[in-house]
């Protein structure tokens, strides 16, 4: 075979491979910030491509948004709050979107206060003002947090604040504490001039909540028709997380490549916080990433019911399936 024929054969082979790749649109929950690094790394380093996938990744504007995107089939897979998915399945039982891989084994839901304003523990909130956007995912868990910590909710003033002014109001002392995602509110407060030693972060998972956090979800029709592609996506994603945990500083460069206004030191800190607080729990270190404890999930569904009236309370199997997870050995992170 001459050189021209060899080149033509290689081009034809590459073209055929690309044509046979399975297209996947993946919807994130938020912007290209630190915690998005593993997905961007898996895409840019070719991990998805090696699995026979052609993956594109889009940002979101909240942890609920990916659910209808995936439910409609506009996106095949997404990253969303599993507690919002539980409510979605209760309200929209005809759209059987399921979670297929747990990512935030401990959710980032938090009460964030300032020690100088007297807020360090849950009991300190009584007699104080809590700033909380009405649609905030963390604030949705407030009734369960109140019950788990025996708080007198009537002694806490709730002020409905907008997302953009939440941290500035706490920085200025206009409220005593706020609800939010731990790794976002903490970093945003520091950017507003609040000393790190003055910030108290109460992760709700450390104070009685059994809830899980964000998970990868799948469109049921796509999963049924492409089960191997779904498992391949999870395998490549776990590879991205494994490499990110091993070298967060290298991983955050992939965020910088996709977000020209991001600040590396800020996104690196946000990423490391998410790894330490939400990813590498004792259960994940021991068992690998992705699976759940069914009994804990049942308790989590019950806790959601403290503040939410179910129409047709979903079962654990309605919400989560391990059918597409790679083997336990492939899911180990360290």
């Amino acid at each position: 075979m001459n050189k021209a024929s060899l080149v033509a054969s290689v081009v034809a082979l590459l073209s055929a491979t690309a044509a046979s790749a399975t297209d996947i649109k993946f919807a994130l929950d938020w912007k290209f910030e630190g915690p998005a690094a593993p997905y961007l790394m898996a895409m840019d380093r070719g991990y998805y491509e090696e699995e026979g996938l052609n993956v594109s990744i889009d940002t979101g504007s909240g942890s609920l948004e990916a659910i209808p995107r995936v439910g409609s089939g506009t996106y095949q897979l997404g990253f969303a709050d599993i507690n919002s998915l539980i409510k979605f399945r209760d309200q929209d039982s005809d759209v059987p979107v399921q979670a297929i891989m747990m990512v935030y084994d401990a959710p980032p839901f938090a009460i964030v206060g300032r020690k100088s304003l007297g807020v360090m523990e849950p009991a300190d909130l009584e007699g104080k003002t809590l700033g909380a956007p009405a649609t905030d995912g963390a604030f949705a868990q407030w009734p369960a947090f109140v019950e788990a910590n025996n708080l007198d909710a009537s002694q806490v003033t709730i002020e409905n604040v907008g997302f953009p002014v939440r941290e500035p109001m706490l920085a200025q002392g206009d409220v005593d504490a706020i609800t939010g995602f731990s790794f976002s509110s903490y970093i945003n407060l520091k950017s507003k001039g609040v000393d790190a030693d003055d910030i108290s972060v109460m992760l709700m998972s450390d104070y009685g909540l059994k809830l899980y956090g964000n998970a990868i979800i799948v469109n049921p029709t796509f999963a049924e028709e492409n089960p191997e592609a779904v498992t391949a996506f999870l395998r490549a994603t776990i590879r991205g997380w494994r490499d990110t945990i091993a070298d967060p500083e290298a991983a955050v460069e992939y965020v910088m490549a996709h977000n020209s206004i991001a600040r590396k030191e800020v996104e690196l800190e946000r990423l490391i916080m998410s790894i330490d607080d939400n990813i590498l729990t004792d259960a994940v270190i021991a068992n690998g990433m992705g699976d759940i404890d069914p009994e804990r999930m049942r308790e989590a569904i019950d806790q959601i019911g403290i503040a939410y009236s179910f129409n047709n309370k979903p079962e654990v199997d309605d919400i989560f399936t391990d059918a597409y997870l790679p083997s336990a050995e492939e899911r180990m992170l360290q």
Side-chain angles (χ1 to χ4, degrees):
M1 181 181 293
N2 60 36
K3 184 176 181 180
S5 298
L6 178 60
V7 170
S9 298
V10 171
V11 169
L13 178 61
L14 291 175
S15 298
T17 301
S20 63
T22 302
D23 291 332
I24 289 178
K25 290 181 66 178
F26 181 60
L28 284 174
D29 61 331
W30 196 238
K31 305 169 188 175
F32 290 143
E33 294 183 340
Y39 313 102
L40 298 173
M41 172 189 278
M43 181 175 67
D44 291 350
R45 283 189 175 178
Y47 296 171
Y48 293 125
E49 186 177 6
E50 289 175 21
E51 294 281 0
L53 309 175
N54 178 33
V55 173
S56 62
I57 301 174
D58 288 336
T59 59
S61 59
S63 55
L64 172 63
E65 185 179 16
I67 299 173
R69 283 178 161 188
V70 171
S72 68
T74 305
Y75 289 78
Q76 289 74 42
L77 290 134
F79 186 56
D81 171 37
I82 199 165
N83 307 291
S84 298
L85 177 62
I86 290 167
K87 295 176 184 177
F88 176 85
R89 287 298 307 271
D90 176 59
Q91 298 162 2
D92 229 326
S93 57
D94 292 337
V95 186
V97 178
Q98 281 184 302
I100 55 172
M101 188 177 93
M102 184 52 60
V103 178
Y104 291 159
D105 189 64
F109 303 139
I111 305 292
V112 182
R114 290 179 57 189
K115 298 173 186 176
S116 60
L117 297 176
V119 178
M120 289 167 282
E121 297 292 333
D124 298 332
L125 293 167
E126 293 182 2
K128 300 293 197 300
T129 298
L130 178 68
T135 58
D136 178 43
F139 181 57
Q141 319 313 324
W142 170 248
F145 183 82
V146 166
E147 181 171 299
N149 293 281
N150 297 312
L151 297 180
D152 182 352
S154 69
Q155 297 300 309
V156 183
T157 300
I158 305 296
E159 185 166 342
N160 182 11
V161 302
F163 286 102
V165 301
R166 173 174 50 186
E167 287 83 12
M169 288 185 70
L170 180 54
Q172 294 161 13
D174 295 330
V175 295
D176 302 299
I178 56 175
T179 62
F181 271 26
S182 55
F183 52 69
S184 291
S185 290
Y186 174 81
I187 289 171
N188 291 344
L189 279 171
K190 288 199 342 178
S191 74
K192 301 301 178 186
V194 180
D195 190 278
D197 291 337
D198 189 30
I199 303 172
S200 58
V201 178
M202 291 176 267
L203 281 169
M204 292 183 176
S205 58
D206 291 337
Y207 291 92
L209 267 67
K210 301 295 185 180
L211 307 179
Y212 284 96
N214 281 32
I216 292 177
I217 62 175
V218 70
N219 177 275
T221 301
F222 179 80
E224 184 177 348
E225 295 175 353
N226 302 275
E228 293 180 1
V230 174
T231 298
F233 180 89
L234 299 184
R235 185 164 45 241
T237 297
I238 292 169
R239 185 179 173 189
W241 270 109
R242 188 182 300 118
D243 287 357
T244 294
I245 290 166
D247 192 350
E249 190 163 357
V252 84
E253 293 292 351
Y254 292 91
V255 173
M256 306 308 296
H258 289 268
N259 185 346
S260 61
I261 64 172
R263 294 166 51 204
K264 181 179 177 181
E265 64 276 11
V266 170
E267 298 314 324
L268 178 59
E269 183 175 20
R270 200 189 314 268
L271 173 59
I272 290 172
M273 279 189 71
S274 72
I275 291 170
D276 291 344
D277 293 344
N278 312 118
I279 303 295
L280 286 182
T281 64
D282 291 343
V284 169
I285 291 171
N287 304 310
M289 185 180 207
D291 210 349
I292 63 165
D293 174 355
E295 181 54 35
R296 176 184 163 191
M297 181 63 79
R298 274 189 285 273
E299 292 181 49
I301 294 172
D302 289 342
Q303 282 190 324
I304 289 171
I306 293 172
Y308 174 82
S309 297
F310 286 106
N311 297 311
N312 185 21
K313 189 176 180 181
E315 300 293 334
V316 172
D317 290 344
D318 297 326
I319 303 303
F320 185 92
T321 177
D322 62 4
Y324 305 101
L325 285 174
S327 68
E329 182 180 358
E330 292 176 293
R331 293 188 283 107
M332 299 305 292
L333 294 180
Q334 295 179 318

